[in-house]
Amino acid sequence: MSPRSDSSEGGDEDEVIAKSRDNRATEPAQPTPVSEVGDGSASKDTEEQLEGPTTPRQNGNSSGDWQPATALAHEEDGSRKDVESSDESLSVPDDSPSVVGSFSASPSYRNQSARFSPSMTSPTPSLRPFDRRFIARLSSSPLGSPRASSPAFLNNHSRQSSLSSQLGPFKNTEDLSSEPWEVIRWAKLKKLTGQAYSEVGKGKFGKPTCLTASAVIVLGTDRGLLLVFDYLQNLQAIIGVGTKAIEAGAVTSIALSADHLTVASGHLDGSIFTWEIAKASQPFLHIPSVDPSTLYQPSVDGHARKASVIHVGFLGTRHTALVSADDRGMAFSHLATRGLGAVGRTVKTTRILGRYPDNPRGPTKARKPSSVLAFSPLPLGSAEQATDGMGVVALLTPYLLVIVSTTPIAQTQFKSPRPKEVLAHGAMSGCLAWFPSVKIKSRPGASQTSVSLPKLVYCWSNVLTILDVKTQEPSDPADRDRPPVLEFRPRSRWKADEAIVAVQWISRSVLAVLTITQQLKIIEDGSLKVTESFDLMQRQIFHLDVFSKQLASLVETLDEEDQSMHGVVADAFYSSFRSYKGRLFLLGFNDISMGTLSNWADRLVAFVENGDYIAAIQLATRYYTGETEKLTVGLPDDNELRHSIVQEKLFDMMTASLRYAFPHTRTSEGILDAEHLDLLVKACFYACLSMEAVEYLLNDVFDAYDDAGHGSIFVEALEPHILAEDIRSIPAPVLQRLVNHFKANGWDSRLEELICQLDTSTMNLDHITALCKQHNLYDALIYVWNQALDDYTTPLVELFRLIKLAISPSVQDEVDDQPDLLSAQKLFPYLAYVLTSRKYPTGEDVDETKSLKAKADLYHILFSGKTIIWPQGGKTVLTVAEGDKEPSFPYLHLILRYDAASFLSAMNEAFEDAFLNGVSDQQTKGLKLDDGQVFGITVNRQYVVSILLEVMGSEDFSSEDTIYLDMFIARNLPKFPQFILLSGTALQRVLVGLCNYPSEDIAEDCQLSVEYLLSIHRPPDLNSLLPLFAKAKFFRVLKSIFKGEKQYSDLIETFFVDPDGQEDVFDAVGDCLRPGSALDETQREAVQAVLRNHAQQFAEIEATRAALTIEEYAPDLHLDILGAVDDDSHLEYVYLAAILKNTKRPSRRAQTSFTSRYVRLMCKFEPDRVFEYVSHMQSGDLRLEDVLPALEKSGVVDAAVVLMAREGKVQNAMSRLTDHLSTLEAGLHGLLTSLGDISKPLEPSGSLSTLLEALNRYTLVGVWLCQGQTKTKSTAPDKETSRRSSKNKHAALNAEETIWLDLLTAIIQITRNVTPATVVPNTSPDLASPRQSAFEALRTTVQTAFSALLTSTSTHPTALSFLAILRALLSHLSSFSPTLSSLRAVLQSIFSAYAHEASLLSLASRLLDTSHYASVNRARAARDAGWRPRSQVCEACGRRVWGPGAGTAIWDAWEARHKMANFKAALGPPSSTSRSGNYYGAAAGLDPASRSAAAARSAGSNAGARMSSRDVGRDARTDGRAEVGGKGKGRDRRGGDDDEREEPIDENKGDETAASGPGPILVFSCRHVYHVRCLERLKANGRAVETGEASGGSGRHTLEGWECINCK
């Protein structure tokens, strides 16, 4: 047995008996991509699964014909037909996600697009024709098509809605607990459950506690028995009856050997048994638990007694090699020898993880609690691996993942700590599962196979990690006999929302994860995508609390700062959640369930059997495209392979669905309603487009619908796919049905949009053109002519015909009633598109060669001046009646007569095309051009403008038409000055024409055009045009001209005339009047004159900005503006507020001139702000006589009081205040007397509350007045004013006391007079009424006044006498109240104020005492701590003052100190005349040396700080006189204010000095140390500084009157 050794990782709980290898892989920071790990790509291969049991039926795919309707999954006799797979590797589900459901039923069409876009009509003048671009109705828009999206992007189809269609009769299968189309189909094992969970079964065998499954299903019970069932749920064996297993307690773990012949069980008491299932009477092997007293013997290893074996497993193919783990964190490997029977075999047990409890007889060591949360040996796969013989075991503890190989010796292969991503304070859980190496083959029938790598999935709390295991091939042939080296590579990681309690591999690429809330999640390996999720809470999965007792210390104390702590330990689920070959087994509290992973064919069959063809088609389509789970349902990830498997079945399902929906016996009407037919056809569209089977869709599917009379449903479903360009060509029958249906519903615009999206090369041109002409689909007709025939002339001729009809006098009034004539407007977007190289009406780019010819044709027709014969060899295209004379440029003339604005707007777009710059020879090289096209390529912008001027200069066109030509020229001349040249006369005519616009609707367009033209052309007689511009109200033009001509006064004048943009006048005024502007003095005066003339208008635009602008640039204009707005007081107030309040630094003149005016207006508009404003004003800013009437009129008495007090009229201010208080008294008394309903609660906004608030506010104003006067007199007392005057009505009071008396008298009189009106008779005390609220408010007012008086008298006792004021108050009150009963309430208020003040003072005193005591304690502690000297030598003389080498003087001083202490104790306490704690200077009974030392100490006590007793050991106290004292005071706590001091050192007395020692030392807070004698000597030399403070300086470097010379 290997010796025990401690593991260095994971705490003390883990002891791995292994030789750790240095080259073990560590967990990488980032997961490795799927494609780089394992078998390369799970998408290309399907697994050759292990052979399963023969009893249960295996589902698979069918390689035979896919049968329609109900016969699809049933034979003719109704029996179920198994769907066999053509390849065994596809019969068992392998890898992929699953979402039950299909696509959503029907795309809801968005609102139909407008039939006729405004941009296609003639641009009205208000639409700015030259600022817009023609947009055809069918052009692609960045907002996308208004149609519904392709069904490929529809939402999932609802299973409930689809099932409601009931395409076929619903077929009940056996009573399953889940729907058959779900990824996992659950079934309760009824027979097995009945035997194990019945009352008889539980009484006979005990309750099931754990489960495992492979070729058989084995249950463990709480009586120590094992029950073995086959897949027919027959009980094959009862193991353990009559054996020691019953005595070992409940079964806590089970394992089956690789050949399914032997089963192992772990028990509650720590015992392990193995049994041969065929011979189960006696155990094959018994590994008993170990007595705890023998655990510490070197030869003993094993599970301690009462340690539950919670994990057990077989190693490899051997029945005698096991591994196990218990709940105390111990894990062992067991190897039994071969022998005769269980008795003849010996078992060698080796500890591989954990540590035994501390030996009570030895030293104990604290260790972390631990347990084995998860445990599993690596099973054998179908492919041989080097790991098969190594006995690899994975163990998961709360701290580490450990992978150990047990053969040939126990050895650590890999360690990984708990990841940091674990959810903080979440549930502690752990689980893991191996998937072995298996053989895989690439394709069905392929002979080559590959091998997948073993992999481990492990979970800590909510973090799941997948680890790949790879064997490194030895490079040296000599190393082939050595054990293989394993490489562990963490590949990917996934985080759940909650703790994971169990995990199992369903297949090589599919994981089943169970969370703590019993949510089952199906996850695909590689992508780690959750494909399905199930709630298993209702299945009541069996779980036990296994770990909480052992790991209690890890969760009981929750520390928010410790992220490693967990809130709870999760129960164990691993023994109730097992998988085997695509099946999941659940052990519940009351039953056992099995879940079978459905493959893709099973799911489709389930949908079809339930009559949901739509869901089946949609799900199959998603399988084909790979949009849903693939690996989970057994489909390969390889697209080509998956397509070959699914495609045929998908065609069969669509055909069967159509046959059922439209049976031949009822061709006129199907059995489905229109809604479900629409869902079906959309599903077929989605499927066919995914498979690129458009021909099947447009033939078979369309024929089925059209024959049944539902072709309209088909063509409506076809529409979004044409718009999305999924389908570009459709057969003639489909097109005919499409046109007829859309035309019948009036969907002309949608129909044209569809036709224009189709490929014209596949159309029957005669058929499509006939349809378009028949239904007046001109957009589609033009598109077909242009794209299919390269004919751009025929559409133009056709549109000429419509225009000719539209302007004909005979039909002009009926144009609105003839929709085909409205199509003439399509001419203008057609010209705009073609002349700018775009397809009409889609807006796509046109090939350069094709575009050049098209442009040449159109320019030739419009600007050649001749008529054309079209088609060639046909008739001449006329613009007038037969026999009439054609005008010059007939077609251009015709268009301009119809709509000049729209044509010029189209030409405005054409002018931006490079074609009019001139066509180079290189562009025409190799082109065959006819005569008309040769002429067309010579047309340029100059020619076009000249022709337009010529044509529209005739009398046939009025100003309503020619104005657009003027705008056209004015806009394009600045853009193309190098291509267009016009005379000054022509440009002058254009400007004049723009000024004489015929309608106000185009005034803005004309002004913009003038701005364009003036940007490049300056008329020589510009001033002559100014009246025209002014008459046309082209104010922007005028501003630009005046600014350019430096006519600034006219510029400002224009701002006042222009109704738009008047607010810009402030910036213009600022630019003109700012310092440093280009204006001279004359121009500045002219601008100011304009401002004076428009002063009121200037302020009315925005008073605040006007005031700020004038204040900054022209403050002299304030009076003019204020005079102009004198009639509008509010405007005047806003203007003044901007000057005096909003400006950062208003001019002194403005502040002094307008303050009184502003205050008067404030009294009118904002009286509540007057007091605040006046309070912040400085003395002299306001004259009292100017504002006092307004203040009194508005009732702003507080502001008046402030102003009067500021001018020294304190008594007058108090008089006004008391008068106002009397007014408030009258109001209060009257209001309280008139109150009828005394029980009505007081509303905060009521009149009474307003009066009480005013009373309180003015009381505070009076207090402010009295306190201010008192403070002034106390700081600058005047004998004349402070003496008590006999002339005063209160002869005993001075002036300050008098105003206090007046205020108190007024308040008390109000209280006395109003209090009777607040009495509420016969009312409950708890009833809140207005009168009671008034009484409380009056009482509070009196208390406030007297509290203020008390504060003032205590603060200024020399200026005020509280007793004198109180005496005078009582005397005054007695004059009109002879009895005290009438003053009782008032006196109570006074005394309440004093009691309140006393309680506050008492509380404050206690708080201050407490704080002071704490501060003194801190100071004393700091003083006692002392300072450690920076060095051992004096900073002045360099002599050592303490420490080694300091001499014997310190010892002598210490002895002298003790003698002095003994003498003092014998003498008794000091006399009353001595200072407390001082030593006696004259020490009787001491020798002269001792007396000298005492004197030195006395001197040192005043000059230095002592070293505390704590510092003696480390600082070597020097003579008892080097004292480290507290905080610069240097006071000796032991006493010493003796006046006897040692004399300064005499240099001639060296021997005496040496004998008596160096004397006391001084240590400053800066830690510099000096001899006192040295400081005195330096002082005598003028170098030392004495602070002159007897008790020490206040600075950090001062002490006892001295200052550190190094730090001063």
Side-chain angles (χ1 to χ4, degrees), residues 1018-1034:
R1018 178 180 176 81
D1021 54 346
L1022 184 59
N1023 291 332
S1024 63
L1025 293 174
L1026 294 180
L1028 285 176
F1029 294 150
K1031 180 181 177 181
K1033 299 180 181 180
F1034 291 170

Side-chain angles (χ1 to χ4, degrees), residues 123-146:
T124 62
S126 61
L127 293 179
R128 290 194 176 186
F130 299 104
D131 290 342
R132 292 178 177 268
R133 292 292 182 266
F134 281 102
I135 301 176
R137 182 177 62 247
L138 308 184
S139 300
S140 59
S141 169
L143 298 179
S145 172

Side-chain angles (χ1 to χ4, degrees), residues 151 180 583 645 705 1392:
R583 296 174 179 83
I645 296 173
Y705 271 81
S1392 296

